[in-house]
Amino acid sequence: MVKILIVDDEEINRIMLREILSEAGYSDFIEAGNGREAVEVARQHRPDIVLLDVIMPGMSGIEAAPQIKASSPDCYLPILFITSLDDEQSLVKCLESGGDDFISKPFEKIILHAKVKAHERTRRLSLEIQDKNQSLTYFQLEVERNHHIVEHIFDNAIGRDAITTDYFDFYTQPEAQFNGDLFLCEQSPSGGVYLFIGDFTGHGLASAIGAIPVAQLFTAMTLKGLAVGEMASRLNRLLINLLPADMFCVASILEIHANGKNFTLWSGGLPRLAVKTPEQEIRLLIEPQHMPLGILEEHEFDNQTQYFETEWGDTLLLYTDGLMESHHKELGMLGEEGVEQWFTRNSQVNAQLLVDKAELYRAGAAAEDDITIVLFKSRPFQFKLPELLAEPIPFNLSFHLTAQHIKDAQVIDQVVAIVNSIPGLAAIRSELFTVITELTNNAIEHGILGLSSDLKAEPEGFIEYYEQRRERIEQLEQGDIWITAQRLMPDNVLEISMQDSGPGFDTASLNNCEDETFGRGFVLIRELCQSLQISNSGKQIKVILPITPVIDDADIPS
């Protein structure tokens, strides 16, 4: 209901105005006999329309108008002056004091009705706008509060510790308030470091929502010393269940071993990893091998890792595609080649330098995607590892895998889990997983199934190789693999022996597999183990794996 304040020192005028407006349907009136009383009534009752006489004793309408207007600072309050004045100067003063319209004496009923109706509509629209502005202000404050809460949680869940700042040069730049990129760094139980670099699809809060559970799971896995392949599988399983179908995370998971020059990598979708020598020459370019996390179901997912080695003083570069997608209006997109040129042209290159060059390349335009850059100069990590609290207990474990077990895709994980349940092996869990995985896959594929690695000589051969593997696994009815794992004291090493019931294979090719695209598993095993023995035409393999990784002082660069 519209509330009308009528201000006039003549009661007869107030009565006339009430009667005329009542005929138009108005019924809520408040009255004042002078300007001072009108100001007080307006503050108390907050009218919607004011009919204000100009000439009154004490405080005139022109003096009262600004104060009445002030009673409604956030919303339009129409003041219609009641006047018999007709000189221009007086009318201008009325408008300057806050008046919005005039009602001339004597009152014209039709004109009075029309003017009050018109200002009633304006007042109503103003109130609606005020209400919407209040709602928007409340919503904005609520969003800001929620953002502060989320930022606080992010800062606590994804912190940076001394490992990150002491050993890595990095830069993370959000395209929006929340970063869809994720950079995590944790120490491994064996004295090395795990890295996770990810880029969720999209921008802002929606893209960053997966960061917290990924960070929590990653930290938990690093404390247990899981292998990179295990981490990839578990993170993929998490994101498959967490993210909607149109979201995923391109990522690289990297384990840097304690000596600072041996690396295990799982990469799905990020730009290729680059390694340069101290002479500013590219030593390695490693392309991603897999689909991003959160796309493939568990039975489709491939957790196979790549192993590579650098020399001390080499510099490794990882980054998300926000850097390579920097765009110049004439030169086009920077691309991987452009990033690698910047990387090798300056011996003192750092993350901030690459960011600055990208900004110059874009000619000041904003980045179209989040940017994360990580550089690591190969050197040993100097972490103090926990000392053993008790003398290690020797043990001997034996496993017999039949055809039914071999068909189970999770059988290797089960074997590793049983071995790792023994106290004191967490420090080598990653190495242990890699060694057992490579040995078991070798026994299955070449021993039991009789597959030939020659198929992998061509890119198309990989597809044919794994298609044959799948078919032969499905048809497998007989086959046995025997695995033993025992701790030998006082050397505190783990002896792992693998024997299969297959016909064996030509082991001569394993001596020259460093330059092949296949057979690299044995190169990796030789790097991780103290010794590797192959006998009985490849049907029996024995390795010695040190339980406490050490760095020879003679190998540490000065």
Side-chain angles (χ1 to χ4, degrees):
M1 184 176 292
V2 178
K3 185 181 295 184
I4 300 176
L5 170 59
I6 302 174
V7 186
D8 199 306
D9 60 326
E10 295 288 342
E11 184 177 1
I12 186 63
N13 288 336
R14 300 200 299 270
I15 294 172
M16 290 176 63
L17 288 170
R18 282 205 315 270
E19 291 299 323
I20 295 172
L21 292 173
S22 296
E23 293 178 7
Y26 297 102
S27 59
D28 192 359
F29 303 103
I30 48 177
E31 299 180 17
N34 57 63
R36 196 175 306 280
E37 183 182 349
V39 172
E40 186 62 31
V41 170
R43 289 173 179 169
Q44 290 181 3
H45 297 280
R46 302 184 65 83
D48 296 300
I49 299 174
V50 180
L51 306 181
L52 181 62
D53 192 14
V54 178
I55 301 173
M56 293 182 292
M59 180 183 287
S60 69
I62 291 177
E63 294 173 315
Q67 298 183 49
I68 295 173
K69 278 282 190 182
S71 67
S72 181
D74 300 324
C75 185
Y76 171 67
L77 175 60
I79 296 178
L80 285 67
F81 275 106
I82 303 169
T83 179
S84 57
L85 302 173
D86 57 4
D87 62 287
E88 292 184 358
Q89 187 174 359
S90 298
L91 296 177
V92 169
K93 285 183 178 180
C94 291
L95 295 175
E96 289 177 346
S97 68
D100 299 289
D101 208 337
F102 301 96
I103 298 174
S104 299
K105 296 179 182 177
F107 306 125
E108 292 283 345
K109 182 187 299 186
I110 296 176
I111 294 176
L112 178 60
H113 287 176
K115 287 191 174 186
V116 170
K117 283 289 185 183
H119 287 287
E120 177 195 345
R121 287 194 298 271
T122 307
R123 168 72 175 180
R124 186 170 60 250
L125 290 173
S126 180
L127 287 171
E128 291 176 0
I129 292 171
Q130 182 188 30
D131 183 61
K132 291 179 179 178
N133 285 339
Q134 289 176 345
S135 298
L136 288 173
T137 300
Y138 175 80
F139 177 75
Q140 182 180 7
L141 291 174
E142 185 68 14
V143 169
E144 289 178 356
R145 177 178 177 272
N146 290 337
H147 277 202
H148 287 314
I149 292 172
V150 175
E151 284 178 334
H152 177 79
I153 295 173
F154 268 60
D155 290 342
N156 283 279
I158 309 169
R160 306 287 185 211
D161 55 23
I163 300 174
T164 312
T165 54
D166 289 350
Y167 287 93
F168 297 91
D169 175 33
F170 66 94
Y171 181 89
T172 57
Q173 170 189 301
E175 184 272 337
Q177 184 172 359
F178 291 99
N179 198 343
D181 285 4
L182 180 61
F183 170 44
L184 303 172
C185 177
E186 296 287 348
Q187 180 181 337
S188 72
S190 61
V193 165
Y194 292 106
L195 298 182
F196 177 93
I197 300 174
D199 180 5
F200 289 87
T201 50
H203 305 297
L205 180 58
S207 65
I209 202 68
I212 293 177
V214 166
Q216 292 176 328
L217 179 57
F218 180 77
T219 300
M221 292 188 296
T222 59
L223 290 174
K224 295 179 180 179
L226 266 63
V228 169
E230 289 181 287
M231 291 184 175
S233 294
R234 296 192 184 190
L235 288 169
N236 183 71
R237 188 183 311 135
L238 168 72
L239 294 178
I240 278 286
N241 295 324
L242 176 69
L243 298 179
D246 60 343
M247 282 190 67
F248 54 84
C249 179
V250 296
S252 287
I253 308 168
L254 182 69
E255 180 183 7
I256 310 175
H257 296 254
N259 62 11
K261 63 178 185 177
N262 294 102
F263 302 80
T264 304
L265 172 69
W266 183 95
S267 184
L270 279 183
R272 63 191 179 206
L273 179 151
V275 178
K276 71 171 183 177
T277 68
E279 293 75 33
Q280 312 308 308
E281 296 179 353
I282 292 292
R283 182 186 297 279
L284 292 171
L285 292 174
I286 302 179
E287 301 283 351
Q289 298 292 310
H290 304 289
M291 295 285 285
L293 298 171
I295 294 180
L296 300 177
E297 296 293 339
E298 190 168 352
H299 67 279
E300 303 171 305
F301 186 76
D302 183 3
N303 68 353
Q304 186 174 0
T305 56
Q306 298 170 271
Y307 178 84
F308 64 95
E309 184 175 352
T310 66
E311 298 296 330
W312 281 312
D314 287 353
T315 303
L316 178 146
L317 170 65
L318 299 104
Y319 56 95
T320 57
D321 58 9
L323 178 62
M324 61 171 278
E325 289 176 356
S326 296
H327 194 274
H328 187 279
K329 62 181 181 180
E330 296 178 358
L331 301 177
M333 192 173 73
L334 176 63
E336 292 174 312
E337 294 81 2
V339 173
E340 289 153 11
Q341 287 181 15
W342 291 352
F343 178 48
T344 54
R345 283 179 181 173
N346 192 325
S347 61
Q348 303 300 318
V349 68
N350 56 44
Q352 186 62 56
L353 176 64
L354 293 175
V355 170
D356 293 343
K357 290 180 76 67
E359 186 173 354
L360 288 173
Y361 188 82
R362 298 192 306 269
E368 296 181 359
D369 198 358
D370 303 319
I371 294 177
T372 295
I373 302 170
V374 180
L375 294 106
F376 171 70
K377 180 167 285 190
S378 292
R379 59 177 172 135
F381 296 103
Q382 303 294 328
F383 300 138
K384 185 177 181 180
L385 300 178
E387 297 180 0
L388 292 175
L389 301 179
E391 181 68 18
I393 299 175
F395 64 85
N396 191 318
L397 295 175
S398 297
F399 302 87
H400 178 201
L401 308 183
T402 64
Q404 194 63 33
H405 299 123
I406 294 170
K407 290 184 175 184
D408 183 0
Q410 306 298 321
V411 65
I412 298 176
D413 292 341
Q414 295 178 44
V415 172
V416 173
I418 293 172
V419 177
N420 275 315
S421 66
I422 297 175
L425 296 186
I428 61 165
R429 174 165 181 150
S430 175
E431 292 85 349
L432 183 60
F433 178 87
T434 301
V435 170
I436 292 180
T437 298
E438 292 294 339
L439 291 178
T440 306
N441 281 331
N442 177 76
I444 293 173
E445 295 173 7
H446 304 305
I448 303 298
L449 303 179
L451 291 167
S452 172
S453 290
D454 292 340
L455 283 173
K456 299 181 184 179
E458 299 294 335
E460 296 80 5
F462 275 89
I463 300 175
E464 174 65 20
Y465 181 89
Y466 286 105
E467 181 62 25
Q468 288 190 21
R469 186 186 192 278
R470 183 188 63 79
E471 292 176 354
R472 295 185 187 187
I473 282 283
E474 290 177 353
Q475 298 169 4
L476 185 65
E477 295 181 357
Q478 290 185 344
D480 297 274
I481 297 176
W482 295 271
I483 306 171
T484 61
Q486 58 178 328
R487 174 186 261 152
L488 304 179
M489 301 300 293
D491 296 331
N492 193 26
V493 296
L494 190 65
E495 180 186 87
I496 302 173
S497 178
M498 188 85 58
Q499 184 174 351
D500 65 74
S501 60
F505 59 94
D506 182 10
T507 61
S509 61
L510 297 177
N511 297 323
N512 300 305
C513 59
E514 285 84 353
D515 297 326
E516 302 291 341
T517 57
F518 50 88
R520 299 291 301 238
F522 281 93
V523 177
L524 178 55
I525 291 173
R526 290 191 183 104
E527 292 284 348
L528 297 177
C529 298
Q530 288 182 353
S531 65
L532 167 66
Q533 297 178 6
I534 304 174
S535 59
N536 196 14
S537 298
K539 293 190 291 183
Q540 186 164 2
I541 300 175
K542 182 184 294 184
V543 300
I544 300 294
L545 181 65
I547 292 179
T548 305
V550 295
I551 301 175
D552 191 335
D553 290 341
D555 290 336
I556 298 178
S558 59

